[in-house]
Amino acid sequence: QAAVGVEQLKKLDYIVEQRRKIALQYIEKLKDITSIILPIEPSNSFSNYQSFSIYLKEDASISRDELMQNLLDVGISTRRGVMNAHRAKAYQGMEVQLPKSEKLEDQSIIIPLYVGMTQQEVVYVVTHLRKQLSVS
């Protein structure tokens, strides 16, 4: 694993550049959708966009799980955006309530973003997200 890691480090600048390019396309193409919140990069920060998570507002026309399934139905794999340890099986039975964290888990989704992603794939994801969120 260390040998793979050393080789990956040689490509780090390229990897981050490509991930940022895709993330900025998503932001530009999705920014007008009022039912979602996109990642925000503070002016004093620089994200590598290891993942691209969107948050569905309460007025979204679809639930997070419905959105994930509908995207999967057209070949777009997604993941839950935020995961809470206290909801994991290993911690079942604990009397912990974290309403803000739980809401983020229930309403966030990670959409595809990877270095080899083509422009056509970005457009495909954007098109289907817009369709599911009732935005033309």
Side-chain angles (χ1 to χ4, degrees):
Q1 287 181 344
V4 171
V6 168
E7 290 303 309
Q8 287 292 84
L9 281 173
K10 293 176 185 176
K11 303 174 189 175
L12 183 59
D13 289 341
Y14 172 78
I15 291 169
V16 171
E17 177 186 336
Q18 295 304 306
R19 295 184 80 80
R20 287 184 58 77
K21 186 184 300 183
I22 295 164
L24 294 175
Q25 288 179 49
Y26 275 149
I27 291 168
E28 182 60 31
K29 294 173 187 293
L30 300 172
K31 69 182 179 185
D32 66 320
I33 302 176
T34 59
S35 60
I36 62 173
I37 297 174
L38 298 170
I40 298 171
E41 185 176 59
S43 60
N44 64 345
S45 301
F46 182 86
S47 178
N48 65 4
Y49 289 103
Q50 175 59 31
S51 59
F52 195 91
S53 182
I54 61 173
Y55 176 81
L56 293 171
K57 293 181 182 178
E58 290 183 19
D59 67 350
S61 60
I62 190 170
S63 74
R64 191 269 324 262
D65 291 348
E66 290 172 314
L67 176 59
M68 290 176 70
Q69 184 60 57
N70 292 349
L71 291 173
L72 184 59
D73 290 346
V74 294
I76 300 170
S77 180
T78 61
R79 293 184 289 133
R80 291 180 293 144
V82 174
M83 294 181 229
N84 291 290
H86 73 285
R87 285 183 160 179
K89 278 188 177 183
Y91 298 100
Q92 281 183 341
M94 289 183 65
E95 297 297 322
V96 176
Q97 292 183 340
L98 302 170
K100 289 182 181 179
S101 295
E102 292 164 5
K103 187 174 180 179
L104 284 170
E105 178 177 358
D106 295 341
Q107 294 180 243
S108 63
I109 177 177
I110 294 175
I111 61 175
L113 190 159
Y114 52 93
V115 172
M117 195 168 190
T118 67
Q119 183 64 36
Q120 183 179 1
E121 290 169 325
V122 171
V123 169
Y124 188 79
V125 171
V126 167
T127 299
H128 286 283
L129 268 172
R130 295 180 71 81
K131 180 180 178 183
Q132 292 301 315
L133 296 167
S134 302
V135 181
S136 55

